[in-house]
Amino acid sequence: MQRLTNRQIVLGITGGIAAYKSAELTRLLKGAGADVQVVMTPAAVEFITPLTLQALSGNPVHLHLLDPEAEAGMGHIELAKWADMILIAPASADFMARLNSGHGNDLLSTLCLATEAPVVLAPAMNQAMWRDPQTQANATSLQTKGIRLLGPGVGEQACGDTGPGRMLDPLDIASQAAALFDRGLLTGKRVVITAGPTREALDPVRYISNHSSGKMGYALAEAAIDAGAQVTLISGPVNLPAPQRCQRVMVESAEQMLAASLENIDQCDIFIASAAVADYRPSAVAEHKLKKGKEEIMELHLIKNPDIVATVAALKNKPFTVGFAAETRDVVHYAQDKLTRKKLDLIIANDVSRSDIGFNSDDNAVTVVSHDQVQPLPLCSKRQLAAKLIDIIAAKQPR
Ligand code: PMT
């Protein structure tokens, strides 16, 4: 269920008596940390009120395909793009038939056509309807198209019949949906990720630092966890909660980040250095707060910090080592230089001259540079980008 944390789930509800269970499902998904947008078909509204689902999801419920108000806010295409998963529970026989035929005559079926996210159905219907050859053919065809079916279960039905067709219990649906986020690409791998800025103290109250928010590194940690890895996140000071199912080590300075990295490097398979580490630190840290003097100019004496990623890449049993290169010009060229100089396996070139990407933004666009390839990855959220980067890194691991 922890895999649902921060997931964006469209919960589709179609017309069926099991729709009452969707209230509990919404509560469970929200409780597991997912952001839930509920979409109801006209028939679903006959079984449960949108108000109940609005209260439980904390979001307005989406009912109509052609809703000018919704289109001005989160329209159907935005909703289709927003979703990490479209989970339809209950999925009626009629909805399965329409989905299988590619209909787009209501909001929910249109979303299924427009989304690139996985579509998951929890069928619910009378046992005879489920057994009907056409429903069976639809179920098989939908699965062939990559749509996942959860259930249905077998047992007593609301109509008094007994047999297959019951919607699974909300807890089973939520846990099976959560399990679908584990893509298993890094199962059994240990991943260490550095994230955020470092702070290099001048005195007890002042430091040198940078604008790194940690968002990129934390998104990578989440993506690696979702891929099944055991993750240690070595983080500079940031205002982000620790990802679940991850060991987080908080540090301040570059020297502390190096020490924490080396302490966690045993049996590490992949090291990803996304932290913005200060290249220099004050040569001495004043014991007391530095006082303002008469001088107009104050000179700081700085010494070079150890290079964490290069130190890791130079280890005898080095892990697959990935660096980031934050550059404001000649981005790919400088990244290639760092790749070779620091003896890395891969480097992610990040243009930090743009205010819409890089430091402290929610989005990013990068170029993945290896020794034989240059691969641009276009603008998207740091979360989506992290998933792509983890896919690329995972593909380079020995199986
Ligand atoms: O944290 P966010 O706000 O989400 O922003 C993300 C980011 C812009 C910080 C991130 O995407 C990024 O580009 N991180 C690398 C920043 C950086 O310090 O780049 P660099 O080119 O100076 O360093 C090259 C590589 O060496 C990096 O992997 C860095 O972690 C590493 N390094 C640098 C200096 C040092 N002393 N030790 C290091 O390990």
Side-chain angles (χ1 to χ4, degrees):
M1 294 280 271
Q2 285 162 332
R3 294 179 191 123
L4 292 172
T5 307
N6 295 330
R7 294 294 176 188
Q8 299 179 165
I9 297 186
V10 166
L11 176 61
I13 305 178
T14 71
I17 185 64
Y20 78 92
K21 294 188 191 170
S22 309
E24 174 65 358
L25 179 56
T26 308
R27 200 187 62 76
L28 288 169
L29 295 172
K30 282 285 290 177
D35 191 358
V36 181
Q37 299 272 354
V38 175
V39 175
M40 298 175 76
T41 63
V45 177
E46 303 293 328
F47 290 91
I48 184 167
T49 71
L51 197 58
T52 304
L53 295 153
Q54 176 172 318
L56 289 169
S57 69
N59 286 316
V61 171
H62 306 265
L63 299 170
H64 307 292
L65 177 57
L66 303 173
D67 177 356
E69 224 170 84
E71 290 299 317
M74 193 184 272
H76 67 283
I77 297 297
E78 280 86 355
L79 205 48
K81 285 188 183 158
W82 175 88
D84 291 324
M85 173 185 285
I86 297 186
L87 172 61
I88 301 171
S92 65
D94 172 67
F95 186 80
M96 288 173 65
R98 286 193 290 118
L99 185 60
N100 188 42
S101 309
H103 286 210
N105 51 354
D106 62 15
L107 178 58
L108 190 55
S109 52
T110 309
L111 286 179
C112 293
L113 289 177
T115 195
E116 286 179 14
V119 176
V120 181
L121 307 181
M125 64 198 74
N126 166 269
Q127 53 84 23
M129 290 171 77
W130 173 252
R131 286 197 174 108
D132 182 86
Q134 188 56 60
T135 306
Q136 286 300 304
N138 290 338
T140 307
S141 164
L142 286 167
Q143 286 171 298
T144 314
K145 292 170 188 164
I147 289 173
R148 295 292 292 255
L149 262 54
L150 309 181
V154 180
E156 202 180 321
Q157 302 199 298
C159 56
D161 284 3
T162 303
R166 275 171 64 98
M167 186 167 100
L168 292 184
D169 283 341
L171 189 55
D172 288 338
I173 296 176
S175 354
Q176 290 190 34
L180 294 177
F181 283 112
D182 183 349
R183 294 169 303 136
L185 290 172
L186 291 179
T187 301
K189 302 280 182 199
R190 285 204 62 223
V191 179
V192 176
I193 300 173
T194 68
T198 63
R199 283 182 184 169
E200 310 300 330
L202 281 161
D203 68 14
V205 296
R206 300 184 182 93
Y207 54 80
I208 299 171
S209 191
N210 58 65
H211 294 292
S212 170
S213 62
K215 288 177 191 171
M216 191 68 243
Y218 276 57
L220 283 161
E222 301 256 7
I225 293 163
D226 285 345
Q230 195 185 325
V231 177
T232 301
L233 178 61
I234 299 172
S235 172
V238 296
N239 289 318
L240 298 173
Q244 294 194 357
R245 293 183 296 130
C246 153
Q247 187 204 356
R248 181 170 73 162
V249 183
M250 296 301 292
V251 298
E252 293 260 329
S253 67
E255 286 184 303
Q256 288 171 1
M257 191 173 269
L258 173 65
S261 299
L262 294 178
E263 265 165 38
N264 286 282
I265 213 68
D266 272 358
Q267 273 131 41
C268 164
D269 300 291
I270 301 167
F271 184 82
I272 307 177
S274 71
V277 185
D279 288 323
Y280 290 87
R281 68 179 184 278
S283 55
V285 183
E287 193 182 342
H288 297 287
K289 185 183 168 201
L290 292 168
K291 300 304 267 180
K292 184 158 70 179
K294 290 201 177 94
E295 311 81 20
E296 287 301 315
I297 291 174
M298 182 185 185
E299 286 185 359
L300 290 177
H301 192 239
L302 303 175
I303 54 173
K304 209 173 204 169
N305 264 330
D307 193 308
I308 300 166
V309 75
T311 306
V312 168
L315 292 173
K316 199 161 152 240
N317 292 321
K318 85 174 188 73
F320 185 87
T321 309
V322 183
F324 271 70
E327 303 291 349
T328 53
R329 64 194 165 97
D330 294 338
V331 178
V332 171
H333 171 76
Y334 283 124
Q336 279 165 330
D337 175 58
K338 282 179 185 165
L339 178 75
T340 316
R341 200 159 31 83
K342 299 193 186 210
K343 298 194 167 47
L344 307 178
D345 296 297
L346 202 67
I347 195 155
I348 319 298
N350 208 161
D351 183 346
V352 288
S353 67
R354 287 169 54 177
S355 60
D356 59 332
I357 60 171
F359 284 107
N360 202 17
S361 60
D362 289 332
D363 299 328
N364 211 355
V366 298
T367 306
V368 180
V369 181
S370 64
H371 292 281
D372 55 4
Q373 222 186 347
V374 172
Q375 181 185 359
L377 296 180
L379 183 71
C380 59
S381 71
K382 281 183 177 166
R383 220 157 50 82
Q384 289 168 324
L385 179 68
K388 285 184 199 160
L389 290 173
I390 291 297
D391 282 355
I392 292 171
I393 293 167
K396 293 184 182 290
Q397 304 310 304
R399 289 268 128 207

CSV table of all heavy atoms in Angstrom, one decimal, residues 25-50:
chain,number,residue,atom,x,y,z
A,25,LEU,N,-13.2,2.4,-0.9
A,25,LEU,CA,-12.0,2.3,-1.7
A,25,LEU,C,-11.3,3.7,-1.7
A,25,LEU,O,-10.1,3.8,-1.6
A,25,LEU,CB,-12.3,1.8,-3.1
A,25,LEU,CG,-11.2,1.7,-4.1
A,25,LEU,CD1,-10.0,0.8,-3.5
A,25,LEU,CD2,-11.7,1.1,-5.4
A,26,THR,N,-12.1,4.7,-1.9
A,26,THR,CA,-11.6,6.1,-2.0
A,26,THR,C,-10.9,6.4,-0.6
A,26,THR,O,-9.7,6.9,-0.6
A,26,THR,CB,-12.7,7.1,-2.1
A,26,THR,OG1,-13.5,6.7,-3.3
A,26,THR,CG2,-12.2,8.5,-2.3
A,27,ARG,N,-11.5,6.0,0.5
A,27,ARG,CA,-10.9,6.3,1.8
A,27,ARG,C,-9.6,5.5,1.9
A,27,ARG,O,-8.6,6.1,2.4
A,27,ARG,CB,-11.9,5.8,2.9
A,27,ARG,CG,-11.7,6.4,4.2
A,27,ARG,CD,-12.6,5.7,5.2
A,27,ARG,NE,-12.4,4.3,5.4
A,27,ARG,CZ,-11.3,3.8,6.1
A,27,ARG,NH1,-10.5,4.6,6.7
A,27,ARG,NH2,-11.2,2.5,6.1
A,28,LEU,N,-9.5,4.3,1.5
A,28,LEU,CA,-8.3,3.5,1.6
A,28,LEU,C,-7.2,4.1,0.7
A,28,LEU,O,-6.0,4.2,1.2
A,28,LEU,CB,-8.5,2.1,1.2
A,28,LEU,CG,-9.4,1.2,2.1
A,28,LEU,CD1,-9.8,-0.1,1.5
A,28,LEU,CD2,-8.6,0.9,3.4
A,29,LEU,N,-7.5,4.5,-0.5
A,29,LEU,CA,-6.5,5.1,-1.4
A,29,LEU,C,-5.9,6.4,-0.8
A,29,LEU,O,-4.7,6.6,-0.8
A,29,LEU,CB,-7.1,5.3,-2.8
A,29,LEU,CG,-7.5,4.1,-3.6
A,29,LEU,CD1,-8.3,4.5,-4.9
A,29,LEU,CD2,-6.4,3.2,-4.0
A,30,LYS,N,-6.8,7.2,-0.3
A,30,LYS,CA,-6.4,8.5,0.3
A,30,LYS,C,-5.5,8.2,1.5
A,30,LYS,O,-4.5,8.8,1.7
A,30,LYS,CB,-7.6,9.3,0.8
A,30,LYS,CG,-8.4,10.0,-0.3
A,30,LYS,CD,-7.6,11.2,-0.8
A,30,LYS,CE,-7.7,12.3,0.2
A,30,LYS,NZ,-6.9,13.5,-0.3
A,31,GLY,N,-6.0,7.2,2.3
A,31,GLY,CA,-5.2,6.9,3.6
A,31,GLY,C,-3.8,6.4,3.3
A,31,GLY,O,-2.9,6.6,4.0
A,32,ALA,N,-3.7,5.8,2.1
A,32,ALA,CA,-2.4,5.2,1.7
A,32,ALA,C,-1.5,6.3,1.1
A,32,ALA,O,-0.4,6.1,0.6
A,32,ALA,CB,-2.5,4.1,0.7
A,33,GLY,N,-2.0,7.6,1.0
A,33,GLY,CA,-1.2,8.7,0.5
A,33,GLY,C,-1.5,9.1,-1.0
A,33,GLY,O,-0.8,9.9,-1.5
A,34,ALA,N,-2.4,8.4,-1.6
A,34,ALA,CA,-2.7,8.7,-3.0
A,34,ALA,C,-3.6,10.0,-3.1
A,34,ALA,O,-4.3,10.3,-2.2
A,34,ALA,CB,-3.4,7.6,-3.7
A,35,ASP,N,-3.4,10.7,-4.2
A,35,ASP,CA,-4.3,11.8,-4.5
A,35,ASP,C,-5.4,11.2,-5.5
A,35,ASP,O,-5.0,10.6,-6.5
A,35,ASP,CB,-3.5,12.9,-5.2
A,35,ASP,CG,-4.3,14.2,-5.3
A,35,ASP,OD1,-5.4,14.2,-4.9
A,35,ASP,OD2,-3.7,15.2,-5.8
A,36,VAL,N,-6.6,11.4,-5.1
A,36,VAL,CA,-7.7,10.7,-5.9
A,36,VAL,C,-8.6,11.7,-6.5
A,36,VAL,O,-9.2,12.6,-5.8
A,36,VAL,CB,-8.5,9.7,-4.9
A,36,VAL,CG1,-9.6,9.0,-5.7
A,36,VAL,CG2,-7.5,8.8,-4.2
A,37,GLN,N,-8.8,11.5,-7.8
A,37,GLN,CA,-9.9,12.3,-8.5
A,37,GLN,C,-10.9,11.3,-9.0
A,37,GLN,O,-10.6,10.3,-9.7
A,37,GLN,CB,-9.3,13.0,-9.8
A,37,GLN,CG,-8.2,14.0,-9.5
A,37,GLN,CD,-8.7,15.4,-9.3
A,37,GLN,OE1,-9.9,15.6,-9.4
A,37,GLN,NE2,-7.8,16.3,-8.9
A,38,VAL,N,-12.2,11.5,-8.5
A,38,VAL,CA,-13.2,10.5,-8.8
A,38,VAL,C,-14.0,11.0,-10.1
A,38,VAL,O,-14.3,12.2,-10.3
A,38,VAL,CB,-14.2,10.4,-7.7
A,38,VAL,CG1,-15.4,9.5,-8.0
A,38,VAL,CG2,-13.5,9.9,-6.4
A,39,VAL,N,-14.2,10.0,-11.0
A,39,VAL,CA,-14.9,10.3,-12.2
A,39,VAL,C,-16.1,9.3,-12.2
A,39,VAL,O,-15.9,8.1,-12.0
A,39,VAL,CB,-14.1,10.0,-13.5
A,39,VAL,CG1,-14.9,10.2,-14.7
A,39,VAL,CG2,-12.9,11.0,-13.5
A,40,MET,N,-17.3,9.8,-12.3
A,40,MET,CA,-18.5,8.9,-12.3
A,40,MET,C,-19.3,8.9,-13.6
A,40,MET,O,-19.4,10.0,-14.2
A,40,MET,CB,-19.5,9.3,-11.2
A,40,MET,CG,-18.8,9.3,-9.8
A,40,MET,SD,-19.9,10.0,-8.5
A,40,MET,CE,-21.0,8.6,-8.3
A,41,THR,N,-19.8,7.7,-14.0
A,41,THR,CA,-20.6,7.7,-15.2
A,41,THR,C,-22.0,8.1,-14.7
A,41,THR,O,-22.3,8.1,-13.5
A,41,THR,CB,-20.7,6.3,-15.8
A,41,THR,OG1,-21.3,5.4,-14.8
A,41,THR,CG2,-19.3,5.8,-16.2
A,42,PRO,N,-22.9,8.5,-15.7
A,42,PRO,CA,-24.3,8.9,-15.3
A,42,PRO,C,-25.0,7.8,-14.5
A,42,PRO,O,-25.7,8.1,-13.5
A,42,PRO,CB,-25.0,9.2,-16.6
A,42,PRO,CG,-23.9,9.5,-17.5
A,42,PRO,CD,-22.7,8.7,-17.1
A,43,ALA,N,-24.7,6.5,-14.8
A,43,ALA,CA,-25.4,5.4,-14.1
A,43,ALA,C,-24.9,5.3,-12.7
A,43,ALA,O,-25.6,4.9,-11.8
A,43,ALA,CB,-25.2,4.1,-14.9
A,44,ALA,N,-23.6,5.6,-12.5
A,44,ALA,CA,-23.0,5.5,-11.1
A,44,ALA,C,-23.7,6.4,-10.1
A,44,ALA,O,-23.9,6.1,-8.9
A,44,ALA,CB,-21.5,5.8,-11.2
A,45,VAL,N,-24.1,7.6,-10.6
A,45,VAL,CA,-24.7,8.6,-9.8
A,45,VAL,C,-26.1,8.1,-9.2
A,45,VAL,O,-26.5,8.6,-8.2
A,45,VAL,CB,-24.9,9.9,-10.6
A,45,VAL,CG1,-25.6,11.0,-9.8
A,45,VAL,CG2,-23.5,10.4,-11.1
A,46,GLU,N,-26.7,7.1,-9.9
A,46,GLU,CA,-27.9,6.5,-9.4
A,46,GLU,C,-27.7,5.7,-8.1
A,46,GLU,O,-28.6,5.3,-7.4
A,46,GLU,CB,-28.6,5.6,-10.5
A,46,GLU,CG,-28.8,6.3,-11.8
A,46,GLU,CD,-29.9,7.4,-11.6
A,46,GLU,OE1,-30.8,7.3,-10.8
A,46,GLU,OE2,-29.8,8.4,-12.4
A,47,PHE,N,-26.4,5.3,-7.9
A,47,PHE,CA,-26.1,4.3,-6.8
A,47,PHE,C,-25.4,5.0,-5.6
A,47,PHE,O,-25.6,4.5,-4.5
A,47,PHE,CB,-25.2,3.2,-7.3
A,47,PHE,CG,-25.9,2.2,-8.2
A,47,PHE,CD1,-25.9,2.5,-9.6
A,47,PHE,CD2,-26.6,1.2,-7.8
A,47,PHE,CE1,-26.6,1.6,-10.5
A,47,PHE,CE2,-27.3,0.3,-8.6
A,47,PHE,CZ,-27.3,0.5,-10.0
A,48,ILE,N,-24.7,6.1,-5.9
A,48,ILE,CA,-24.0,6.7,-4.8
A,48,ILE,C,-23.8,8.2,-5.1
A,48,ILE,O,-23.6,8.5,-6.3
A,48,ILE,CB,-22.6,6.0,-4.5
A,48,ILE,CG1,-21.9,6.7,-3.3
A,48,ILE,CG2,-21.7,6.0,-5.7
A,48,ILE,CD1,-20.7,5.8,-2.8
A,49,THR,N,-23.9,9.1,-4.1
A,49,THR,CA,-23.9,10.5,-4.5
A,49,THR,C,-22.4,11.0,-4.7
A,49,THR,O,-21.5,10.6,-3.9
A,49,THR,CB,-24.5,11.4,-3.4
A,49,THR,OG1,-23.7,11.4,-2.2
A,49,THR,CG2,-25.9,10.8,-3.0
A,50,PRO,N,-22.3,11.9,-5.6
A,50,PRO,CA,-21.0,12.5,-5.9
A,50,PRO,C,-20.5,13.2,-4.6
A,50,PRO,O,-19.3,13.3,-4.3
A,50,PRO,CB,-21.3,13.5,-7.0
A,50,PRO,CG,-22.4,13.0,-7.7
A,50,PRO,CD,-23.3,12.3,-6.7
